[in-house]
Amino acid sequence: GINAEYGLSKLTGPGLHPGVTISIGQELKNVKGKMQTLLKGNPPLIHRSNSSTGRQRPVEVEGVNTKFFAGTEDGFLIYTDWKAEKDPESGKLVSSKPVYAISSHAGPIHCLLRSPFYNYIIMSVGGWSLSIWKEGESEILQTSRSPVKFTAACWSPTRPGVFFIGREDGNIDVWDLMDRSHEPSMTQNISSSAITSLVPYRVSAKQVLLGVGDDFGTLHILELPWSLRQPSPNETVNMASYFERECSRIDYYKEREANRPTNVSGPSEPAIPMALETDEEEEERLKKSFNSYLTMEKDFLVKLGLKRDDDPVALIH
Protein backbone atom coordinates (compact mmCIF):
# COMPACT_ATOMS: atom_id res chain seq x y z
CA GLY A 1 0.00 0.00 0.00
CA ILE A 2 0.87 3.67 0.02
CA ASN A 3 2.43 5.02 3.18
CA ALA A 4 2.61 8.81 2.88
CA GLU A 5 3.32 11.15 5.74
CA TYR A 6 2.33 14.80 5.67
CA GLY A 7 2.98 17.59 8.15
CA LEU A 8 0.48 20.45 8.53
CA SER A 9 2.85 23.40 8.16
CA LYS A 10 1.86 26.72 9.70
CA LEU A 11 0.92 29.50 7.29
CA THR A 12 3.52 31.82 8.80
CA GLY A 13 6.63 30.86 10.68
CA PRO A 14 8.09 27.43 11.45
CA GLY A 15 6.37 24.51 13.14
CA LEU A 16 3.36 22.28 12.51
CA HIS A 17 -0.31 22.34 13.50
CA PRO A 18 -1.48 19.42 15.69
CA GLY A 19 -3.90 17.70 13.32
CA VAL A 20 -7.10 15.97 14.47
CA THR A 21 -9.19 15.18 11.39
CA ILE A 22 -9.05 15.61 7.59
CA SER A 23 -11.41 15.68 4.62
CA ILE A 24 -10.27 14.90 1.07
CA GLY A 25 -12.19 15.71 -2.10
CA GLN A 26 -12.26 12.18 -3.53
CA GLU A 27 -13.15 8.82 -2.10
CA LEU A 28 -10.12 7.25 -0.44
CA LYS A 29 -10.38 4.06 -2.47
CA ASN A 30 -10.28 6.06 -5.73
CA VAL A 31 -7.25 8.07 -4.58
CA LYS A 32 -5.42 4.94 -3.42
CA GLY A 33 -6.13 3.14 -6.69
CA LYS A 34 -4.77 5.99 -8.80
CA MET A 35 -1.71 6.46 -6.62
CA GLN A 36 -0.83 2.77 -6.75
CA THR A 37 -0.72 2.89 -10.56
CA LEU A 38 1.48 6.02 -10.62
CA LEU A 39 4.72 4.83 -9.08
CA LYS A 40 6.82 6.34 -11.86
CA GLY A 41 7.43 9.93 -12.93
CA ASN A 42 9.61 12.87 -12.11
CA PRO A 43 7.44 15.69 -10.70
CA PRO A 44 7.90 15.69 -6.89
CA LEU A 45 4.25 16.04 -6.07
CA ILE A 46 4.16 13.85 -2.98
CA HIS A 47 6.73 11.62 -1.35
CA ARG A 48 6.49 7.92 -0.70
CA SER A 49 8.43 6.35 2.15
CA ASN A 50 10.65 3.37 1.46
CA SER A 51 10.59 1.27 4.63
CA SER A 52 13.88 -0.50 3.86
CA THR A 53 16.06 2.54 3.17
CA GLY A 54 14.09 5.31 4.86
CA ARG A 55 14.47 7.39 1.70
CA GLN A 56 11.72 9.21 -0.08
CA ARG A 57 11.06 9.17 -3.78
CA PRO A 58 8.58 11.28 -5.77
CA VAL A 59 5.27 9.86 -6.91
CA GLU A 60 3.25 11.26 -9.81
CA VAL A 61 -0.40 11.80 -8.87
CA GLU A 62 -1.92 13.39 -11.97
CA GLY A 63 -5.70 13.14 -12.04
CA VAL A 64 -5.98 13.18 -8.25
CA ASN A 65 -7.28 16.23 -6.38
CA THR A 66 -4.45 16.76 -3.92
CA LYS A 67 -6.07 19.61 -2.01
CA PHE A 68 -7.69 18.74 1.31
CA PHE A 69 -9.07 20.22 4.53
CA ALA A 70 -7.64 19.49 7.96
CA GLY A 71 -8.98 20.35 11.40
CA THR A 72 -6.52 20.87 14.22
CA GLU A 73 -6.41 20.51 17.97
CA ASP A 74 -6.16 24.28 18.41
CA GLY A 75 -9.30 25.03 16.37
CA PHE A 76 -7.68 25.92 13.03
CA LEU A 77 -9.26 24.89 9.74
CA ILE A 78 -6.48 24.39 7.20
CA TYR A 79 -6.88 24.12 3.43
CA THR A 80 -3.68 22.78 1.94
CA ASP A 81 -2.10 20.58 -0.71
CA TRP A 82 -0.29 17.32 -0.08
CA LYS A 83 2.02 18.02 -3.05
CA ALA A 84 5.53 18.24 -1.67
CA GLU A 85 7.68 21.27 -2.44
CA LYS A 86 11.42 21.58 -2.74
CA ASP A 87 12.98 23.65 -0.01
CA PRO A 88 14.95 26.42 -1.81
CA GLU A 89 17.76 26.21 0.74
CA SER A 90 18.19 22.50 1.41
CA GLY A 91 16.67 21.09 -1.79
CA LYS A 92 14.70 18.53 0.25
CA LEU A 93 11.05 17.72 -0.25
CA VAL A 94 8.93 19.44 2.39
CA SER A 95 5.22 19.86 3.04
CA SER A 96 3.72 22.79 1.16
CA LYS A 97 2.42 25.87 2.95
CA PRO A 98 -1.39 25.95 3.47
CA VAL A 99 -3.56 27.87 1.02
CA TYR A 100 -5.17 29.31 4.14
CA ALA A 101 -5.38 28.55 7.85
CA ILE A 102 -8.29 30.08 9.76
CA SER A 103 -8.88 29.99 13.50
CA SER A 104 -12.53 29.04 13.16
CA HIS A 105 -13.35 27.20 16.40
CA ALA A 106 -12.61 27.79 20.09
CA GLY A 107 -11.56 24.20 20.66
CA PRO A 108 -10.46 21.05 18.79
CA ILE A 109 -12.26 20.37 15.51
CA HIS A 110 -13.92 16.99 16.09
CA CYS A 111 -15.75 16.61 12.76
CA LEU A 112 -14.92 17.61 9.20
CA LEU A 113 -17.63 16.23 6.91
CA ARG A 114 -18.37 16.67 3.22
CA SER A 115 -21.98 16.88 2.14
CA PRO A 116 -23.20 13.65 0.46
CA PHE A 117 -24.98 15.85 -2.12
CA TYR A 118 -22.33 18.52 -2.83
CA ASN A 119 -18.73 17.35 -2.69
CA TYR A 120 -17.54 20.97 -2.48
CA ILE A 121 -19.49 21.71 0.74
CA ILE A 122 -17.75 20.92 4.05
CA MET A 123 -19.04 21.18 7.60
CA SER A 124 -16.59 21.69 10.47
CA VAL A 125 -17.64 21.17 14.08
CA GLY A 126 -15.57 21.96 17.14
CA GLY A 127 -15.72 23.77 20.45
CA TRP A 128 -19.03 25.60 20.79
CA SER A 129 -19.79 26.27 17.10
CA LEU A 130 -20.14 24.81 13.63
CA SER A 131 -19.24 26.25 10.24
CA ILE A 132 -20.10 25.40 6.65
CA TRP A 133 -17.50 26.05 3.93
CA LYS A 134 -17.29 25.85 0.17
CA GLU A 135 -14.05 24.36 -1.11
CA GLY A 136 -11.86 27.05 -2.60
CA GLU A 137 -14.06 29.73 -1.07
CA SER A 138 -14.51 31.19 2.38
CA GLU A 139 -16.95 30.39 5.15
CA ILE A 140 -20.61 30.29 4.11
CA LEU A 141 -22.26 29.92 7.49
CA GLN A 142 -21.10 30.09 11.09
CA THR A 143 -23.37 29.62 14.08
CA SER A 144 -23.30 31.81 17.14
CA ARG A 145 -21.58 30.42 20.22
CA SER A 146 -23.58 27.64 21.82
CA PRO A 147 -23.84 27.39 25.63
CA VAL A 148 -22.86 23.70 25.30
CA LYS A 149 -19.93 22.12 23.48
CA PHE A 150 -20.55 20.26 20.21
CA THR A 151 -19.15 16.73 20.20
CA ALA A 152 -20.42 14.94 17.05
CA ALA A 153 -22.11 15.62 13.72
CA CYS A 154 -23.45 14.03 10.54
CA TRP A 155 -25.27 15.04 7.36
CA SER A 156 -28.66 13.61 6.45
CA PRO A 157 -28.31 10.94 3.73
CA THR A 158 -31.62 11.92 2.11
CA ARG A 159 -32.08 15.68 2.61
CA PRO A 160 -29.41 18.15 1.37
CA GLY A 161 -30.36 20.86 3.86
CA VAL A 162 -30.51 18.74 7.02
CA PHE A 163 -27.73 17.80 9.44
CA PHE A 164 -27.49 16.66 13.06
CA ILE A 165 -25.21 17.96 15.82
CA GLY A 166 -24.43 15.99 18.99
CA ARG A 167 -23.81 17.97 22.18
CA GLU A 168 -21.95 17.48 25.44
CA ASP A 169 -25.19 17.57 27.45
CA GLY A 170 -26.65 14.53 25.64
CA ASN A 171 -28.92 16.50 23.28
CA ILE A 172 -29.04 16.45 19.49
CA ASP A 173 -29.66 19.64 17.51
CA VAL A 174 -31.54 19.10 14.24
CA TRP A 175 -30.69 21.74 11.64
CA ASP A 176 -32.86 22.27 8.57
CA LEU A 177 -31.47 25.04 6.36
CA MET A 178 -34.66 25.00 4.28
CA ASP A 179 -36.49 26.11 7.42
CA ARG A 180 -33.97 28.42 9.14
CA SER A 181 -30.21 29.03 9.17
CA HIS A 182 -29.70 30.98 12.41
CA GLU A 183 -30.72 28.27 14.88
CA PRO A 184 -31.62 24.56 14.98
CA SER A 185 -35.14 23.60 13.97
CA MET A 186 -35.48 21.35 17.00
CA THR A 187 -33.50 19.84 19.89
CA GLN A 188 -34.02 16.30 21.16
CA ASN A 189 -32.64 14.85 24.39
CA ILE A 190 -31.09 11.40 23.92
CA SER A 191 -28.85 10.71 26.90
CA SER A 192 -27.60 12.11 30.19
CA SER A 193 -24.00 11.89 28.94
CA ALA A 194 -22.17 13.46 25.99
CA ILE A 195 -23.04 12.35 22.45
CA THR A 196 -19.88 10.82 20.95
CA SER A 197 -20.98 9.63 17.51
CA LEU A 198 -23.79 10.03 14.97
CA VAL A 199 -24.21 7.61 12.06
CA PRO A 200 -27.19 7.75 9.67
CA TYR A 201 -28.37 4.65 7.79
CA ARG A 202 -30.91 4.57 4.97
CA VAL A 203 -32.89 1.35 5.22
CA SER A 204 -35.30 2.19 2.40
CA ALA A 205 -37.05 5.13 0.80
CA LYS A 206 -39.52 5.03 3.69
CA GLN A 207 -37.15 4.41 6.59
CA VAL A 208 -33.97 6.19 7.71
CA LEU A 209 -32.28 5.37 11.01
CA LEU A 210 -29.85 7.40 13.08
CA GLY A 211 -27.36 5.58 15.30
CA VAL A 212 -26.32 7.64 18.35
CA GLY A 213 -23.47 6.70 20.64
CA ASP A 214 -22.93 8.34 24.03
CA ASP A 215 -20.12 8.60 26.55
CA PHE A 216 -21.60 5.74 28.64
CA GLY A 217 -21.05 3.38 25.70
CA THR A 218 -24.77 3.10 24.96
CA LEU A 219 -26.03 2.83 21.39
CA HIS A 220 -29.38 4.51 20.68
CA ILE A 221 -31.23 3.76 17.41
CA LEU A 222 -33.62 6.49 16.29
CA GLU A 223 -36.01 6.45 13.35
CA LEU A 224 -36.26 9.79 11.54
CA PRO A 225 -39.76 11.14 10.91
CA TRP A 226 -41.08 11.81 7.42
CA SER A 227 -40.26 15.54 7.58
CA LEU A 228 -36.56 14.84 8.20
CA ARG A 229 -36.12 12.08 5.63
CA GLN A 230 -38.32 13.23 2.73
CA PRO A 231 -36.75 16.09 0.71
CA SER A 232 -38.97 18.95 -0.39
CA PRO A 233 -39.49 19.52 -4.13
CA ASN A 234 -36.26 20.76 -5.80
CA GLU A 235 -34.45 20.81 -2.45
CA THR A 236 -31.14 19.81 -4.06
CA VAL A 237 -31.35 22.70 -6.55
CA ASN A 238 -32.59 25.17 -3.94
CA MET A 239 -29.80 24.36 -1.49
CA ALA A 240 -27.16 24.67 -4.23
CA SER A 241 -28.61 28.11 -5.04
CA TYR A 242 -28.51 29.03 -1.35
CA PHE A 243 -24.81 28.19 -1.10
CA GLU A 244 -24.06 30.18 -4.26
CA ARG A 245 -26.00 33.21 -2.98
CA GLU A 246 -24.12 33.12 0.31
CA CYS A 247 -20.78 32.97 -1.53
CA SER A 248 -21.80 35.93 -3.71
CA ARG A 249 -22.91 37.90 -0.66
CA ILE A 250 -19.62 37.28 1.13
CA ASP A 251 -17.61 38.20 -2.00
CA TYR A 252 -19.58 41.45 -2.29
CA TYR A 253 -18.97 42.26 1.37
CA LYS A 254 -15.23 41.60 1.04
CA GLU A 255 -15.02 43.75 -2.09
CA ARG A 256 -16.88 46.59 -0.40
CA GLU A 257 -14.63 46.41 2.65
CA ALA A 258 -11.51 46.42 0.45
CA ASN A 259 -12.70 49.52 -1.44
CA ARG A 260 -13.89 51.41 1.64
CA PRO A 261 -11.59 54.37 2.49
CA THR A 262 -9.89 54.00 5.84
CA ASN A 263 -10.23 57.70 6.77
CA VAL A 264 -12.59 59.90 4.79
CA SER A 265 -11.73 63.21 6.48
CA GLY A 266 -7.96 62.66 6.28
CA PRO A 267 -5.54 62.05 9.12
CA SER A 268 -4.74 65.71 9.73
CA GLU A 269 -8.31 67.02 9.86
CA PRO A 270 -9.86 67.03 13.35
CA ALA A 271 -13.31 65.55 13.72
CA ILE A 272 -16.06 68.20 13.99
CA PRO A 273 -18.41 67.44 16.89
CA MET A 274 -22.12 67.30 16.08
CA ALA A 275 -24.26 70.00 17.67
CA LEU A 276 -26.76 68.67 20.18
CA GLU A 277 -30.43 68.94 19.22
CA THR A 278 -32.91 70.74 21.37
CA ASP A 279 -36.08 68.91 22.33
CA GLU A 280 -38.07 70.96 19.80
CA GLU A 281 -35.62 70.20 16.96
CA GLU A 282 -35.63 66.50 17.75
CA GLU A 283 -39.45 66.42 17.79
CA GLU A 284 -39.62 68.23 14.45
CA ARG A 285 -37.10 65.84 12.88
CA LEU A 286 -39.03 62.78 14.09
CA LYS A 287 -42.30 64.24 12.74
CA LYS A 288 -40.78 64.75 9.29
CA SER A 289 -39.34 61.25 9.29
CA PHE A 290 -42.67 59.66 10.30
CA ASN A 291 -44.64 61.74 7.75
CA SER A 292 -42.23 60.61 5.05
CA TYR A 293 -42.86 57.00 6.09
CA LEU A 294 -46.65 57.49 5.94
CA THR A 295 -46.37 58.95 2.43
CA MET A 296 -44.23 56.02 1.25
CA GLU A 297 -46.68 53.57 2.84
CA LYS A 298 -49.60 55.13 0.96
CA ASP A 299 -47.72 54.99 -2.37
CA PHE A 300 -46.99 51.33 -1.78
CA LEU A 301 -50.64 50.53 -0.96
CA VAL A 302 -51.79 52.41 -4.07
CA LYS A 303 -49.49 50.27 -6.23
CA LEU A 304 -51.01 47.16 -4.64
CA GLY A 305 -54.50 48.44 -5.40
CA LEU A 306 -55.42 48.64 -1.72
CA LYS A 307 -55.81 52.45 -1.74
CA ARG A 308 -56.70 55.18 -4.20
CA ASP A 309 -54.61 58.19 -5.15
CA ASP A 310 -57.11 60.62 -3.62
CA ASP A 311 -57.21 58.86 -0.23
CA PRO A 312 -55.90 61.25 2.45
CA VAL A 313 -52.75 60.62 4.48
CA ALA A 314 -53.03 61.29 8.23
CA LEU A 315 -49.85 63.37 8.56
CA ILE A 316 -48.66 64.63 11.94
CA HIS A 317 -48.54 68.41 12.29
Side-chain angles (χ1 to χ4, degrees), residues 158 201-209 223-224 229:
T158 58
Y201 181 72
R202 182 175 183 176
V203 179
S204 66
K206 295 184 178 181
Q207 187 179 39
V208 178
L209 304 178
E223 183 174 358
L224 300 184
R229 60 175 168 79

Side-chain angles (χ1 to χ4, degrees), residues 14 31 104 111 115 121 138 151 181 192 226 240 243 282 288 291:
V31 175
S104 57
C111 303
S115 166
I121 296 297
S138 58
T151 53
S181 61
S192 59
W226 181 88
F243 292 136
E282 182 182 14
K288 288 182 179 180
N291 286 339

Side-chain angles (χ1 to χ4, degrees), residues 257-279:
E257 286 295 309
N259 296 330
R260 177 178 293 177
T262 55
N263 195 333
V264 177
S265 60
S268 60
E269 298 179 9
I272 301 175
M274 295 289 291
L276 295 176
E277 290 181 319
T278 64
D279 292 342

